[in-house]
Amino acid sequence: MAAHRSCRPVWLFILCSFSLFIIAGSQETTVAPEQHASVLDNPQTAAETAEQTAGESGGVEERRWEGTEVRDAAAQKQAEPAVLQPTPQPKDDFQEELVVRPLHSGDIYASFQFRTLWETDFMRGNKVSHYRLFPKSLGQVISKFSVRELHISFTQGYWRTMQWGQPYLPSPPGAELWVWFQDSVTDVDATWKELTNVLSGIFCASLNFIDSTNTVQPSASFKPLGIGNVTDHRFLRYATLPREIVCTENLTPWKKLLPCGSKVTVFVSLFISQKDTFGIHLCVNAASFSFCVLMYSCCSLQAGLAVLLKSEKLFHSSFHSQAVHIRPVCQDWQCKTTSWELRQTLNVVFDLHNSGQGKREWSLFKMFSRTLTEACPLASSSKIYIDITDNPEGEQFELSPATSLLSQAMVLGDRRTFSVYDLTQQDTFGSVRSLNLLIRWKSTEGDMLRPLLHAERYVAGYGLQTGEIHTLMYNHHPYRSFPVLQLDSVPWYLRLYIHTLTVTSKGKDNKPSYIHYQPSKDRVRPHLLEMLVQLPPNSVTEVTVQFERALLKWTEYTPDPNHGFYVGSSVISSLVPSTVAMDTNSTRERPLFSSFFPCKEESSYFVRVYTEPLLVNLPTPDFSMPYNVICLTCTVVAVGYGSLYNLLTRSFQIEEPSPGLAKRIANVIRKMRGVPPL
């Protein structure tokens, strides 16, 4: 259960309790207005509640779909005599989702989606001083560095596409950062360098190691995902750190960006239209409407899906990835008003064998060591989606507790069916006030649908002088061919022979229709290679290029040079043919996991695939020899030259032996008598 601690003083608790008795009497006379207000604010919830009541009265529980047509119910409620005063809506909104996909291998894939929308303008240089849900640290970064879009991810592990399918949001192993700057930036490179240093401090990562030697400026890849068709790639920068290690120190600042993600003291503004357990509601003129006085509540806030983000469980997994995406989006179809979207995602795959479980059974408590007790009070939507597309009749696995609310969404070119648990509804938690979803497998049969696009990469050759990079791109579509855009960023110490570049498909040469190559400069910039290749149906396309290993200076080697040097993943982007008609309306209300990449065509969907990072050995000197030489030299200097120097600089003096005691006494007596000493 989620730990909920309160830091309010005792007198405030007594005052709240006393106010509840006062409000209890007035609530009986204001039931109709409050119900009317809830219908106007959320007609979908009202329709679902009515359907659930009707189902319970009939004695038969029917599975219902997530409501989309509720105009009639809202119109009937509007006919009531009560009239409500319009309440000013806040300009920011927060939503959270958790998607759970049972995999055929027995593993479980969980994807967290947190989205914060804020109707403000950072592009015109306006200084924003008040932040409610949007993190102030990121807002200041956008304003100071004139950022149009920012995408950053930290990943531990490699996504196994052929075993797990396509992820909702792909990311390469290590750290990835790509930023679009506004056209008002004069020195993009200096701004980029300063931005990486600031982000390194915010996320407690090694982003300060990003410099010109691992930064590229793509010419065709990484188009903006927000509004605006920016084609000037001078304002785009892309960099990766494939060796970055993701740990708890990166998760903690990521969680603090969430409104309900960390145990911090916050001031929460609660209104009567929001169902919350904190604050004092003062009902004024209960016959017409209910008005809640603004109340600042000092409390330790940690609720909603953020409760499940326990580092001990998240990092004990086969794959873990956390990301932050900032972009401007449209609020309506005509894009008359825009907002800034902050989307925080966390993807994790729990391995059945690594978890130590002896049976194919998963639950929220087994995955995260916690259960859910309430939704985030600041979230307008808090839902859990369970993918049951491959389990329509329950023959593959059993889901408990069962829900009658279903939803369909177009995800990765396929129509998927989900069981939905709405955390804003109190009935979801049951009588025990705790939600612990349980997935128990019944059968191990069933084949996973192979992804249409898949890529691999490896290094071939022998010795430490030359080598060859092989990239394999698979098109599993039986009769459709489609183009892919490949981006490779190779460090400067792997000197590519671009004349050896070959592209073959089904044993024949496949000439790329577009090639952009930027050669490297030693210790200045890396290689950049972009190609547009057409993949034939049901084929494997191989891209090979030879390289030569450079000899580094002894100060340029890492502390563990024999481990090897990492080369970032290759990026494959494509519009893959879809089996169903995709939704091109980006402003339509959809689940968060299906609305990240914009869709321009109904017949295709966008896919980005990352290959494995490469580990290349370079000619490495024997670093033990300098140690041996230093030891030998120091020994020779200490024994040989030290002895000679001691003999040349030492001064010798003859000292007489000291007289005996009797002689000293006699000399004293003779001195007293004035006689010369002996």
Side-chain angles (χ1 to χ4, degrees):
M1 298 179 64
H4 188 95
R5 302 177 181 176
S6 177
C7 63
R8 292 176 295 177
V10 178
W11 61 267
L12 184 58
F13 175 79
I14 299 176
L15 183 60
C16 294
S17 303
F18 180 73
S19 302
L20 292 177
F21 289 102
I22 300 177
I23 299 172
S26 60
Q27 286 181 347
E28 297 178 358
T29 59
T30 59
V31 172
E34 290 181 355
Q35 290 180 353
H36 183 68
S38 63
V39 172
L40 291 180
D41 294 339
N42 194 357
Q44 176 179 343
T45 305
E48 294 173 356
T49 306
E51 293 177 4
Q52 183 177 3
T53 306
E56 293 176 355
S57 61
V60 179
E61 182 182 3
E62 298 180 356
R63 307 191 77 180
R64 52 192 174 88
W65 297 89
E66 200 169 6
T68 55
E69 299 180 1
V70 292
R71 300 294 183 182
D72 297 339
Q76 294 177 2
K77 292 295 182 179
Q78 289 178 356
E80 296 181 2
V83 179
L84 291 178
Q85 295 288 341
T87 304
Q89 298 294 333
K91 294 185 178 181
D92 51 358
D93 179 72
F94 175 70
Q95 299 178 3
E96 58 180 6
E97 290 181 0
L98 169 61
V99 188
V100 179
R101 182 204 297 177
L103 304 177
H104 290 274
S105 59
D107 304 333
I108 201 78
Y109 171 39
S111 176
F112 292 86
Q113 303 275 340
F114 304 94
R115 185 180 70 169
T116 303
L117 284 177
W118 192 14
E119 186 180 348
T120 186
D121 192 0
F122 289 111
M123 295 186 180
R124 298 180 182 178
N126 300 331
K127 293 184 178 180
V128 181
S129 58
H130 177 68
Y131 290 84
R132 181 173 175 265
L133 299 179
F134 201 93
K136 185 177 181 179
S137 59
L138 296 182
Q140 292 176 344
V141 168
I142 298 175
S143 301
K144 178 176 177 57
F145 300 102
S146 300
V147 174
R148 181 182 297 271
E149 285 193 19
L150 187 148
H151 305 270
I152 183 173
S153 65
F154 302 95
T155 305
Q156 185 71 24
Y158 175 70
W159 182 269
R160 301 180 179 92
T161 305
M162 297 306 296
Q163 298 181 15
W164 301 337
Q166 292 288 355
Y168 297 119
L169 288 178
S171 58
E176 180 191 42
L177 175 64
W178 58 284
V179 178
W180 277 94
F181 294 96
Q182 300 180 22
D183 52 7
S184 59
V185 179
T186 56
D187 192 350
V188 179
D189 293 330
T191 306
W192 165 259
K193 181 59 179 177
E194 189 175 357
L195 175 62
T196 54
N197 292 330
V198 172
L199 294 178
S200 177
I202 293 178
F203 295 100
C204 195
S206 303
L207 300 178
N208 56 312
F209 286 96
I210 294 179
D211 52 14
S212 62
T213 60
N214 50 24
T215 301
V216 295
Q217 179 183 321
S219 63
S221 303
F222 295 99
K223 295 293 184 180
L225 300 180
I227 59 176
N229 296 324
V230 182
T231 57
D232 194 351
H233 285 256
R234 294 179 303 168
F235 302 99
L236 171 63
R237 294 296 182 270
Y238 173 80
T240 58
L241 294 176
R243 199 176 181 179
E244 180 72 12
I245 304 300
V246 186
C247 196
T248 309
E249 60 186 8
N250 307 116
L251 179 64
T252 301
W254 185 90
K255 290 172 56 178
K256 290 183 178 180
L257 300 177
L258 298 173
C260 299
S262 61
K263 296 181 180 180
V264 294
T265 303
V266 295
F267 290 99
V268 186
S269 301
L270 301 174
F271 294 91
I272 194 65
S273 60
Q274 299 178 354
K275 297 181 179 180
D276 206 310
T277 59
F278 302 110
I280 302 177
H281 302 294
L282 301 179
C283 298
V284 182
N285 193 8
S288 59
F289 66 95
S290 300
F291 178 79
C292 179
V293 177
L294 183 64
M295 182 66 188
Y296 292 99
S297 176
C298 176
C299 60
S300 178
L301 184 62
Q302 189 181 23
L305 298 178
V307 177
L308 303 178
L309 303 179
K310 190 176 181 180
S311 58
E312 292 84 351
K313 288 293 185 179
L314 294 179
F315 292 105
H316 189 67
S317 58
S318 300
F319 177 84
H320 171 269
S321 176
Q322 60 188 54
V324 173
H325 305 277
I326 303 176
R327 61 179 178 177
V329 295
C330 298
Q331 285 191 341
D332 49 14
W333 177 252
Q334 293 80 11
C335 202
K336 295 180 180 179
T337 59
T338 61
S339 299
W340 280 88
E341 180 191 69
L342 167 63
R343 183 169 298 205
Q344 298 178 241
T345 63
L346 191 145
N347 299 323
V348 59
V349 176
F350 294 99
D351 192 352
L352 176 65
H353 303 285
N354 291 341
S355 61
Q357 301 187 47
K359 53 184 178 180
R360 296 165 60 94
E361 181 177 302
W362 290 100
S363 66
L364 290 181
F365 186 79
K366 288 184 178 181
M367 288 188 292
F368 307 104
S369 295
R370 293 175 181 175
T371 59
L372 295 173
T373 57
E374 60 179 344
C376 176
L378 302 178
S380 60
S381 174
S382 180
K383 297 180 180 180
I384 298 179
Y385 293 85
I386 308 295
D387 194 344
I388 60 172
T389 307
D390 301 331
N391 187 52
E393 302 296 334
E395 66 277 1
Q396 294 290 336
F397 58 86
E398 177 185 357
L399 181 61
S400 175
T403 177
S404 58
L405 184 60
L406 302 179
S407 176
Q408 282 190 347
M410 307 300 176
V411 184
L412 299 174
D414 191 14
R415 181 180 286 106
R416 312 293 295 181
T417 305
F418 300 89
S419 294
V420 184
Y421 295 84
D422 193 351
L423 301 183
T424 59
Q425 302 296 326
Q426 299 298 330
D427 298 339
T428 305
F429 301 97
S431 58
V432 295
R433 294 290 301 164
S434 178
L435 179 62
N436 184 24
L437 297 180
L438 176 64
I439 299 177
R440 183 181 294 107
W441 268 262
K442 296 181 179 179
S443 174
T444 58
E445 300 178 357
D447 297 330
M448 183 192 69
L449 183 63
R450 291 191 306 175
L452 297 181
L453 179 62
H454 175 53
E456 298 175 352
R457 191 165 67 152
Y458 61 92
V459 177
Y462 59 90
L464 295 177
Q465 182 178 2
T466 60
E468 196 172 39
I469 298 178
H470 292 251
T471 304
L472 304 179
M473 295 178 289
Y474 298 84
N475 179 11
H476 296 296
H477 202 286
Y479 55 88
R480 289 284 299 275
S481 63
F482 52 85
V484 297
L485 182 63
Q486 179 184 359
L487 181 143
D488 275 330
S489 177
V490 183
W492 63 268
Y493 45 78
L494 298 183
R495 295 164 180 169
L496 297 182
Y497 294 150
I498 198 64
H499 68 279
T500 62
L501 177 65
T502 59
V503 182
T504 57
S505 298
K506 295 183 177 180
K508 300 180 180 179
D509 292 339
N510 189 350
K511 185 178 181 181
S513 57
Y514 169 80
I515 295 181
H516 170 72
Y517 175 68
Q518 183 182 24
S520 67
K521 292 183 178 180
D522 289 355
R523 300 170 180 86
V524 176
R525 69 185 184 191
H527 300 270
L528 174 61
L529 176 62
E530 290 182 280
M531 296 186 302
L532 185 62
V533 182
Q534 188 78 14
L535 302 185
N538 198 15
S539 65
V540 180
T541 301
E542 183 178 9
V543 180
T544 61
V545 60
Q546 297 179 8
F547 65 89
E548 180 183 2
R549 296 173 171 89
L551 183 61
L552 304 180
K553 298 180 180 179
W554 72 274
T555 56
E556 295 175 343
Y557 286 92
T558 58
D560 52 346
N562 293 314
H563 178 76
F565 292 79
Y566 283 90
V567 180
S569 303
S570 179
V571 186
I572 312 295
S573 306
S574 176
L575 290 176
V576 179
S578 175
T579 58
V580 295
M582 302 298 295
D583 189 4
T584 59
N585 187 358
S586 60
T587 60
R588 185 175 300 172
E589 184 176 358
R590 292 181 296 175
L592 300 181
F593 59 87
S594 63
S595 60
F596 182 73
F597 291 109
C599 184
K600 303 297 182 181
E601 300 177 359
E602 295 183 353
S603 59
S604 61
Y605 63 97
F606 180 79
V607 172
R608 181 173 292 154
V609 178
Y610 294 92
T611 63
E612 305 92 337
L614 300 179
L615 185 61
V616 181
N617 290 324
L618 296 182
T620 305
D622 187 2
F623 285 101
S624 64
M625 289 305 297
Y627 173 76
N628 298 334
V629 171
I630 292 174
C631 293
L632 179 61
T633 304
C634 293
T635 303
V636 172
V637 170
V639 175
Y641 180 76
S643 301
L644 180 62
Y645 180 80
N646 190 18
L647 292 175
L648 294 177
T649 59
R650 178 180 297 179
S651 60
F652 297 93
Q653 296 180 0
I654 301 175
E655 295 183 358
E656 296 180 357
S658 60
L661 179 60
K663 189 175 181 179
R664 287 199 301 266
I665 296 175
N667 288 335
V668 172
I669 296 173
R670 291 172 67 87
K671 184 178 181 181
M672 294 175 59
R673 295 173 58 185
V675 179
L678 296 176

